[in-house]
C-alpha cells in the first residue's frame, strides 16, 4: 500500500511569511504526528492528531499549529516565519494504539530566507 | 522533563566489528521504547521496539536491544556490522501519544 506522502517536498519562503504543509497518512491510519528535524536539535515532536483531535503537543511557540481532517489527512501551519524555522518537517502516521510503529514520510524541506 | 540521550554522535567501525549504541531515557510513567534507522536517502524506519515482557528484543537485520529498567537504558547491539548498516540511528521514547527522539548516532562502517 502507499506510504505516507508529504507535499510540497521543498519550499522556500521569506521571513514573516506563513506556510502550510500537508501530510497524507497510510490508508487506515488515524494518527498523524509532526516533527521538526534540524542538524542541531535532531527530531523534535511538534504535535499529534487522532480523529481530528490534538492529543499532545511539544514545546513549540503558538506560531506552529496543525489540524486533521475527517479523512485523517493533516496540515501544519507556521505563521510569521523566522530564519530558525528552516528545517525538515516530517510527518508520521500510525493506527496509534499505545506503542504503535510510526511510518514516516519523506519530509518537507523548508528554507526561510 | 522528558528526554532521550544517545551517548555517541558519530561511530566509525570496520566490517565485522561489534556494535553497541547507548540510549538513556527520562520519562515519567509508562514508556514504550524504539530504535529507528535512517539509511542514506531513505525515510526513517523502525528497527525494533519494546513494550513489555522480555527485555531483550530482536529487530530487523540482526539488531537487538536490551531494556534495563534500573538504568533507564535501551541500548542497541549488533554482533557483526556490515557496510550496509551505515546509517543514522535514533532512539525514541513514547508515552501519552508523544514521542521524544534522541539526537541520533551516525554510524559509518568501513568496508
Amino acid at each position: 500500500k502507499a506510504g505516507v506522502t508529504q507535499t510540497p517536498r521543498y519550499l522556500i519562503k521569506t521571513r514573516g511569511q506563513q506556510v502550510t504543509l500537508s501530510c497524507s497518512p497510510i490508508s487506515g491510519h488515524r494518527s498523524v504526528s509532526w516533527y521538526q528535524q534540524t542538524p542541531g536539535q535532531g527530531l523534535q515532536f511538534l504535535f499529534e492528531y487522532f480523529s481530528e483531535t490534538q492529543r499532545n503537543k511539544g514545546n513549540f511557540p503558538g506560531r506552529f499549529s496543525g489540524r486533521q481532517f475527517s479523512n485523517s489527512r493533516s496540515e501544519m501551519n507556521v505563521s510569521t516565519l523566522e530564519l530558525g524555522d528552516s528545517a525538515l518537517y516530517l510527518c508520521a502516521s500510525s493506527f496509534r494504539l499505545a506503542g504503535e510503529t510510526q511510518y514516516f514520510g519523506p519530509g518537507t524541506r523548508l528554507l526561510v530566507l | 522533563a522528558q528526554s532521550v540521550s544517545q551517548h555517541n554522535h558519530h561511530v566509525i567501525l570496520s566490517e565485522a566489528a561489534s556494535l553497541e549504541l547507548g540510549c538513556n531515557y527520562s520519562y515519567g510513567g509508562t514508556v514504550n521504547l524504539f530504535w529507528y534507522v535512517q539509511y542514506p536517502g531513505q525515510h526513517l524506519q523502525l528497527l525494533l521496539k519494546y513494550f513489555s515482557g522480555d527485555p531483550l528484543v530482536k529487530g530487523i537485520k540482526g539488531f537487538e536491544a536490551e531494556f534495563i529498567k534500573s538504568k533507564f537504558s535501551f541500548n542497541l547491539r549488533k554482533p557483526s556490522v556490515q557496510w550496509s548498516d551505515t546509517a543514522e540511528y535514533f532512539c525514541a521514547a513514547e508515552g501519552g501519544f508523544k514521542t521524544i527522539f534522541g539526537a541520533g548516532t551516525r554510524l559509518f562502517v568501513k568496508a
Side-chain angles (χ1 to χ4, degrees), chain B residues 44-95:
Chain B
L44 268 165
Q45 58 186 279
L46 181 74
L47 207 51
L48 48 79
K49 59 185 177 182
Y50 172 79
F51 299 156
S52 62
D54 188 346
L56 185 63
V57 292
K58 295 189 184 300
I60 61 172
K61 302 186 179 184
F63 285 91
E64 63 180 31
E66 184 176 14
F67 170 59
I68 303 179
K69 188 174 182 179
S70 61
K71 295 184 178 181
F72 299 95
S73 71
F74 189 56
N75 293 351
L76 181 71
R77 299 195 293 248
K78 185 171 184 178
S80 176
V81 296
Q82 300 172 317
W83 176 80
S84 58
D85 293 325
T86 293
E88 188 161 15
Y89 294 80
F90 294 90
C91 180
E94 183 256 346

Side-chain angles (χ1 to χ4, degrees), chain A residues 4 35 37 42-43 45 48 55-59 90 96 98-102 104-106, chain B residues 32 34 36 38 43-46 49 51 88 90 94-103:
Chain A
V4 177
Y35 299 88
Q37 186 177 21
L43 273 149
F45 175 79
E48 191 261 4
R55 297 195 295 190
N56 212 328
K57 60 182 291 187
N59 299 322
L90 293 170
R96 215 45 164 167
E100 277 286 334
T101 300
Q102 293 181 72
F104 285 82
Chain B
N32 302 304
F34 304 80
Y36 284 88
Q38 188 167 31
H43 307 175
L44 268 165
Q45 58 186 279
L46 181 74
K49 59 185 177 182
F51 299 156
E88 188 161 15
F90 294 90
E94 183 256 346
F97 311 114
K98 178 178 181 178
T99 304
I100 304 297
F101 281 80

Side-chain angles (χ1 to χ4, degrees), chain A residues 3-6 23 89-93 103-107, chain B residues 38 43-44:
Chain A
V4 177
T5 57
Q6 293 187 244
C23 171
Y89 290 88
L90 293 170
C91 164
S93 76
Y103 294 86
F104 285 82
Chain B
Q38 188 167 31
H43 307 175
L44 268 165

